């Protein structure tokens, strides 16, 4: 395991890694869409935001999450503010879950995550379709929702290790 | 019951309003900000438009820089694939090039004629200037299909500007910033292209299917049968969204859902550079119209003449070549005729030899049989049952092996 000297610049960057990953993913659309697998896509920012908001990670600034949403809208071509709202709603739901949970359970979190992303994707779809007259394929939304749900468990293992490495 | 309700309210309040130690804003404030931005961005306030434009300029550039490592991996993969198919593609391209060279001249003539006629009809000429643009962001969203190019209002790009990959249509500009623009690709669900389909000249609308193909929609049922698998779709120019006559794709006949699809000529996932067509209208003033027309027509005539003389030169060259070939073929034909005559005479001689040989064979057979059966066939003085020696009947009797009658 790599060990950093505290107050080292590299250590500081390491502590900001979730936010950096979030910005890289929104700039870069990190979702393996270029693999051209039919219908395959997942929303990495949703997983990242939910996990770190749930764990109340100190460096995970909500304002930066909000900014990442604005950038995502610009890159993807959605009306400005849609992704920001989605990301902040995820933060709210994650914070609520944290507040009501006494003993955290990964499986419970996982299914709660499914409920949250389904709700948020539904809101997104409705807003885009009703207010902005976007033609969207609901199948793509459902598939994206499903894969995001599946990938949560995989990424949560990595994120857990990351948080543990910081505690050490 | 009341206790659990209180807990719920406390948890909600805490989620919305409580700021953690290092948070600058509460989540409620940020949700409020988001909603305000969504509402404002749906209205076209100038301040909002300018702010959006500035954000986009920054984000597109940043996205381009952040995407460099990923793009490097992607391009290496594509390059590797290209190298493996290099020779095959080279041969194919060479053949296509030869074909295209020959077609190019006729196209130029048609184009100049077309321009001349358009200028006569509309009173103005459209000068098309295609500028090269680099694709700086091409992240495929699962829901939307668009790219960002590095040319904007600075280079006179407007909303609706047609974008090409070589001479194939790939989309149109839907959003213009100062140094970059967003292009809606033909595969997007929101893209509608009026097309003509040949053969049959069927008019239809092609709508992107959100994946890699387009789907033909809004077509009369009785015209569907006119479309076959060899069909080509090109823009019809209806609605003035796209110029007419731009190749779009080939027909891919009905899939399992009875839909007629279009295979676009371009692979939209491999776009690196595209062409943006900037149209400029040059009006023809009324007072100088006659002079200008003469000048324009004389210029066009000159171009046409040049092209025709080029074509003539090519035809003459090919004609000379054909004449030479013809001469060679004539001499060859003469030689062959002579050979045929010699062979014919040889054949006749051989035939006569064979005939003679057959006759000799028959004579020998007669003589052999005569020795055996002459007594049976000769006539007797008292009981005249045979034939006189030397007659035709006698010979036939011998050949029948002594039988007087058949």
């Amino acid at each position: 395991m790599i060990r950093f000297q505290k107050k080292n610049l590299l250590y500081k960057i390491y502590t900001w890694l979730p936010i950096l990953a979030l910005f890289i993913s929104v700039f870069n659309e990190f979702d393996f869409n270029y693999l051209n697998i039919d219908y395959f896509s997942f929303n990495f920012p949703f997983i990242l935001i939910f996990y770190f908001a749930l764990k109340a990670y100190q460096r995970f600034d909500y304002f930066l999450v909000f900014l990442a949403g604005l950038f995502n809208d610009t890159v993807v071509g959605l009306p400005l503010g849609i992704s920001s709202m989605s990301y902040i709603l995820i933060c709210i739901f994650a914070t609520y879950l944290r507040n009501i949970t006494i003993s955290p359970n990964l499986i419970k979190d996982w299914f709660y995550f499914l409920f949250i992303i389904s709700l948020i994707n539904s809101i997104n779809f409705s807003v885009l379709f009703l207010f902005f007259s976007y033609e969207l394929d609901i199948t793509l939304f459902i598939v994206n929702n499903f894969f995001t749900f599946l990938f949560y468990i995989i990424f949560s293992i990595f994120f857990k290790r990351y948080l543990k490495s910081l505690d050490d | 019951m009341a206790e659990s309700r209180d807990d719920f309210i406390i948890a909600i309040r805490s989620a919305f309003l409580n700021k953690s130690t290092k948070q600058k804003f509460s989540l409620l404030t940020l949700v409020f900000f988001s909603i305000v931005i969504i509402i404002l961005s749906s209205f076209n306030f100038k301040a909002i438009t300018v702010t959006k434009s500035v954000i986009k300029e920054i984000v597109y550039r940043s996205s381009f820089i952040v995407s460099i490592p990923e793009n490097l991996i992607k391009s290496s993969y594509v390059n590797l694939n290209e190298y493996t198919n290099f020779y095959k593609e080279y041969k194919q391209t060479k053949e296509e090039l030869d074909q295209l060279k020959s077609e190019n001249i006729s196209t130029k003539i048609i184009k100049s004629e077309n321009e001349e006629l358009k200028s006569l009809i509309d009173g103005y000429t459209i000068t098309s200037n295609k500028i090269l643009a680099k694709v700086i962001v091409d992240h495929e969203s699962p829901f939307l299909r668009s790219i960002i190019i590095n040319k904007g209002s600075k280079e006179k790009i407007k909303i609706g500007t047609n974008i090409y990959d070589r001479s194939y249509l790939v989309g149109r500009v839907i959003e213009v910033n100062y140094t970059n623009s967003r292009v809606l690709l033909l595969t997007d669900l929101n893209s509608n292209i009026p097309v003509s389909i040949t053969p049959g000249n069927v008019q239809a609308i092609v709508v992107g299917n959100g994946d890699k193909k387009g789907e033909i929609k809004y077509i009369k049922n009785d015209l569907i049968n006119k479309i076959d698998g060899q069909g080509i779709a090109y823009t019809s120019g209806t609605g003035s969204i796209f110029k007419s006559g731009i190749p779009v794709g080939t027909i891919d006949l009905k899939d399992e859902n009875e839909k007629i699809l279009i295979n676009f000529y371009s692979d939209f996932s491999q776009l690196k550079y595209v062409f943006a067509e900037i149209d400029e209208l040059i009006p023809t003033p009324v007072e100088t119209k006659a002079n200008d027309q003469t000048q324009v027509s004389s210029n066009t005539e000159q171009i046409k003449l040049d092209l025709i003389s080029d074509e003539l030169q090519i035809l003459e060259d090919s004609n000379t070549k054909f004449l030479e070939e013809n001469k060679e073929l004539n001499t060859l034909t003469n030689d062959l005729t002579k050979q045929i005559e010699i062979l014919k005479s040889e054949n006749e001689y051989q035939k006569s030899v064979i005939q003679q040989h057959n006759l000799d064979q028959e004579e020998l057979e007669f003589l052999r049989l005569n020795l055996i059966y002459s007594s049976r066939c000769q006539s007797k003085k008292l009981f005249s049952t045979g034939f006189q020696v030397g007659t035709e009947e006698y010979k036939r009797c011998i050949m029948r092996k002594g039988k007087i009658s058949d």
Side-chain angles (χ1 to χ4, degrees):
Chain A
M1 179 62 83
I2 303 162
R3 289 190 183 279
F4 298 105
Q5 289 287 325
K6 302 240 165 156
K7 291 183 184 175
N8 186 345
L9 178 71
L10 217 61
Y11 177 77
K12 279 183 182 169
I13 292 170
Y14 188 65
T15 56
W16 284 101
L17 205 63
I19 285 292
L20 282 173
L22 177 66
F23 274 87
I24 289 169
S25 73
V26 297
F27 276 129
N28 209 19
E29 277 289 290
F30 170 66
D31 49 13
F32 300 115
N33 287 330
Y34 53 84
L35 292 177
N36 284 330
I37 302 168
D38 277 346
Y39 290 108
F40 174 76
S41 72
F42 72 98
N43 204 324
F44 179 69
F46 276 14
I47 299 170
L48 191 124
I49 293 165
F50 182 79
Y51 188 87
F52 285 97
L54 190 66
K55 300 294 169 192
Y57 182 57
Q58 285 194 341
R59 301 274 187 208
F60 207 67
D61 194 329
Y62 295 144
F63 180 68
L64 292 175
V65 173
F66 173 80
L67 270 186
L70 287 184
F71 290 171
N72 188 58
D73 289 332
T74 316
V75 171
V76 175
L78 293 169
L80 222 57
I82 293 275
S83 298
S84 300
M85 193 179 71
S86 310
Y87 293 175
I88 295 300
L89 281 176
I90 290 177
C91 290
I92 288 169
F93 282 111
T95 315
Y96 172 73
L97 179 68
R98 193 180 65 228
N99 288 341
I100 60 162
T101 309
I102 296 163
S103 54
N105 182 320
L106 182 64
I107 302 299
K108 275 183 191 170
D109 294 351
W110 192 27
F111 282 95
Y112 183 75
F113 178 67
L114 174 67
F115 166 71
I116 299 307
I117 57 169
S118 308
L119 181 74
I120 285 165
N121 275 333
S122 310
I123 295 170
N124 276 350
F125 185 85
S126 311
V127 170
L128 289 171
F129 185 73
L130 297 172
F131 298 107
F132 292 94
S133 307
Y134 272 54
E135 284 287 334
L136 295 162
D137 189 349
I138 198 156
T139 326
L140 293 171
F141 266 90
I142 293 165
V143 174
N144 182 276
N145 206 52
F146 176 69
F147 280 115
T148 311
F149 166 66
L150 283 187
F151 275 85
Y152 177 78
I153 207 87
I154 300 161
F155 280 107
S156 64
I157 295 164
F158 291 112
F159 295 155
K160 197 179 173 183
R161 283 183 172 224
Y162 166 75
L163 289 178
K164 206 183 164 196
S165 73
L166 284 177
D167 289 341
D168 293 343
Chain B
M1 186 72 185
E3 214 170 84
S4 68
R5 199 170 157 234
D6 285 347
D7 287 348
F8 174 74
I9 290 165
I10 291 163
I12 290 276
R13 193 185 288 168
S14 168
F16 271 101
L17 298 172
N18 265 14
K19 288 191 281 179
S20 308
T21 44
K22 295 208 171 180
Q23 302 293 342
K24 294 178 193 73
F25 298 92
S26 72
L27 287 166
L28 186 69
T29 318
L30 293 172
V31 169
F32 179 72
F33 274 168
S34 309
I35 294 167
V36 168
I37 289 171
I38 293 169
I39 294 165
L40 287 178
S41 64
S42 63
F43 299 110
N44 288 325
F45 289 130
K46 201 177 178 185
I48 298 291
T49 320
V50 171
T51 318
K52 267 167 73 180
S53 195
V54 170
I55 293 173
K56 281 169 187 168
E57 292 282 346
I58 299 163
V59 170
Y60 292 156
R61 298 283 159 189
S62 314
S63 180
F64 177 64
I65 294 160
V66 171
S67 306
I68 287 171
E70 189 202 331
N71 287 340
L72 200 73
I73 296 165
K74 266 163 74 178
S75 63
S76 318
Y77 174 71
V78 172
N79 283 344
L80 201 73
N81 268 345
E82 276 177 2
Y83 278 122
T84 50
N85 299 323
F86 185 70
Y87 183 69
K88 201 177 156 188
E89 274 177 16
Y90 165 74
K91 276 182 89 177
Q92 204 178 338
T93 314
K94 209 179 164 188
E95 278 171 21
E96 275 176 16
L97 186 71
D98 289 341
Q99 179 72 24
L100 285 171
K101 267 183 182 171
S102 64
E103 284 173 12
N104 194 26
I105 289 169
S106 332
T107 314
K108 276 182 180 172
I109 291 168
I110 293 164
K111 206 175 163 187
S112 70
E113 275 180 351
N114 193 15
E115 274 170 14
E116 191 187 347
L117 290 168
K118 268 191 178 173
S119 69
L120 282 171
I121 295 165
D122 300 332
Y124 57 79
T125 48
I126 298 170
T127 57
S128 295
N129 183 18
K130 278 187 184 174
I131 55 166
L132 189 69
K134 190 178 179 182
V135 177
I136 51 172
V137 180
D138 66 342
H139 303 316
E140 276 188 22
S141 155
F143 318 118
L144 301 168
R145 300 273 182 260
S146 62
I147 53 168
I148 313 293
I149 56 168
N150 70 341
K151 295 282 185 273
S153 54
K154 199 173 126 188
E155 284 87 10
K156 292 180 184 172
I157 299 252
K158 289 180 275 185
I159 287 178
T161 300
N162 294 357
I163 304 294
Y164 302 85
D165 170 27
R166 287 157 293 168
S167 57
Y168 306 131
L169 189 69
V170 293
R172 68 191 166 90
V173 172
I174 53 162
E175 179 189 292
V176 184
N177 303 308
Y178 186 61
T179 59
N180 50 54
S181 329
R182 182 179 287 278
V183 178
L184 185 77
L185 296 174
L186 301 183
T187 45
D188 191 278
L189 286 168
N190 299 285
S191 159
N192 297 298
I193 326 146
V195 293
S196 294
I197 299 161
T198 52
N201 197 25
V202 179
Q203 303 298 308
I205 302 279
V206 172
V207 181
N209 71 349
D211 193 15
K212 288 175 188 166
K213 292 183 177 181
E215 191 189 320
I216 291 183
K217 282 191 176 173
Y218 315 117
I219 185 171
K220 279 186 180 176
N221 280 333
D222 56 331
L223 292 173
I224 285 179
N225 298 328
K226 272 191 170 184
I227 300 171
D228 61 13
Q230 307 294 317
I232 291 170
Y234 60 90
T235 53
S236 62
T238 315
S240 302
I241 301 166
F242 294 101
K243 283 176 76 176
S244 58
I246 309 163
V248 174
T250 52
I251 301 294
D252 186 0
L253 272 181
K254 293 164 193 168
D255 66 356
E256 64 272 16
N257 302 322
E258 291 291 302
K259 287 175 185 170
I260 300 175
L261 300 174
I262 292 259
N263 287 322
F264 293 116
Y265 284 119
S266 286
D267 181 358
F268 298 140
S269 61
Q270 299 297 319
L271 296 175
K272 276 185 185 175
Y273 295 93
V274 289
F275 290 99
E277 190 172 41
I278 298 162
D279 292 337
E280 282 182 80
L281 298 182
I282 302 168
T284 318
V286 179
E287 60 270 23
T288 56
K289 201 174 178 180
N291 292 339
D292 284 355
Q293 265 184 359
T294 327
Q295 204 177 348
V296 167
S297 67
S298 66
N299 282 339
T300 325
E301 288 296 326
Q302 189 56 47
I303 294 163
K304 270 172 71 179
L305 275 171
D306 290 347
L307 290 169
I308 289 165
S309 63
D310 281 352
E311 198 180 29
L312 198 69
Q313 184 63 42
I314 290 165
L315 284 171
E316 274 175 8
D317 288 349
S318 43
N319 203 18
T320 328
K321 207 177 166 186
F322 285 140
L323 280 171
E324 279 170 11
E325 272 181 17
N326 202 14
K327 265 185 186 175
E328 279 173 21
L329 286 170
N330 269 335
T331 43
L332 198 71
T333 316
N334 288 337
D335 290 347
L336 285 170
T337 323
K338 275 178 191 169
Q339 268 186 353
I340 288 165
E341 277 171 10
I342 293 163
L343 286 169
K344 261 185 182 173
S345 61
E346 270 181 20
N347 196 19
E348 273 172 17
Y349 170 73
Q350 278 171 357
K351 264 184 183 173
S352 67
V353 169
I354 290 163
Q355 212 173 356
Q356 189 59 45
H357 175 76
N358 283 344
L359 282 171
D360 291 347
Q361 280 288 108
E362 202 179 337
E363 194 67 27
L364 272 170
E365 183 66 15
F366 171 74
L367 290 171
R368 190 177 68 81
L369 293 171
N370 190 38
L371 284 170
I372 303 163
Y373 304 110
S374 61
S375 57
R376 285 192 202 174
C377 294
Q378 275 178 20
S379 64
K380 307 260 168 67
K381 280 180 183 176
L382 286 173
F383 310 100
S384 180
T385 53
F387 305 102
Q388 201 176 349
V389 177
T391 58
E392 198 58 36
E393 287 83 0
Y394 174 78
K395 195 178 178 181
R396 275 205 289 271
C397 174
I398 293 293
M399 293 310 281
R400 284 198 297 267
K401 297 181 179 177
K403 286 177 187 169
I404 302 298
S405 59
D406 290 333

